[in-house]
């Protein structure tokens, strides 16, 4: 396959588990058709299971992480957090406009917006620059109304039941 004829903007949001997982499934499907995929991870470090899997399974998928260890609290972000988010968006823009990717996944960008690391206008401007043959996927809780309005497809994950309610902690290979 030689790229996409028509790219769209997808948003996976909501309070439940599965947003990044859905985007990564799409990445694997796209790689199976020879499409080039870039995953830009906001507010994450390179120690998640998907990094190892993509290296083993799909050389068409590149993952770049921008974040520091530890948690960010709303209103308590450090200057480094803002710098990392800006660098992530700049990296995504360069790849998107440079013609080097077919699918661009902005993992946890909605949370970066929620925590004030980026401005909604920056992301909306970014989406306006999207070449028509590039698919852009935005994940994370708290997708703002403007991002939802700009998307072609929006999926909201709704939690019905979760093992955390039974005291079961995040498990390697399942939650990360």
């Amino acid at each position: 396959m030689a790229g996409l004829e028509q790219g769209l903007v997808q948003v996976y949001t909501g309070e439940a588990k599965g947003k990044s997982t859905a985007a990564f499934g799409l990445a694997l499907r796209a790689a199976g058709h020879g499409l080039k995929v870039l995953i830009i991870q906001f507010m994450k470090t390179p120690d998640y299971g998907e990094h190892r899997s993509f290296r083993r399974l799909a050389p068409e998928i590149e993952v770049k992480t921008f974040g520091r260890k530890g948690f960010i609290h709303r209103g308590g972000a450090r200057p480094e957090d803002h710098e990392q988010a800006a660098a992530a968006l700049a990296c995504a823009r360069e790849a998107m406009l440079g013609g080097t990717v077919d699918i661009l996944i902005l993992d946890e960008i909605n949370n970066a917006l929620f925590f004030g690391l980026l401005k909604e206008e920056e992301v909306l401007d970014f989406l306006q620059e999207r070449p028509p043959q590039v698919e852009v996927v935005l994940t994370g809780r708290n997708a703002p109304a403007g991002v939802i309005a700009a998307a072609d497809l929006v999926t909201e994950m709704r939690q019905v039941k979760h093992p955390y309610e039974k005291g079961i902690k995040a498990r390697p290979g399942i939650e990360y």
Side-chain angles (χ1 to χ4, degrees), residues 71-85:
F71 292 99
I72 298 172
H73 299 285
R74 197 162 189 197
R78 300 177 187 168
E80 174 189 3
D81 299 321
H82 294 275
E83 292 164 8
Q84 288 286 315

Side-chain angles (χ1 to χ4, degrees), residues 13-31:
T13 193
E15 296 302 312
K17 175 179 166 38
K19 298 169 289 294
S20 295
T21 304
F24 299 159
L26 181 136
L28 284 170
R29 178 180 289 156

Side-chain angles (χ1 to χ4, degrees), residues 3 92 145 174:
I174 305 298

Side-chain angles (χ1 to χ4, degrees), residues 122-137:
E122 290 177 284
V123 174
L124 294 175
D125 289 346
F126 173 86
L127 293 175
Q128 286 293 316
E129 296 176 55
R130 180 185 63 82
Q133 72 280 4
V134 176
E135 190 93 3
V136 176
V137 180

Side-chain angles (χ1 to χ4, degrees), residues 52-65:
R52 289 180 224 120
S53 293
F54 288 141
R55 279 194 300 271
R56 288 182 193 154
L57 297 173
E60 298 86 357
I61 300 173
E62 183 179 4
V63 182
K64 295 184 179 185
T65 57

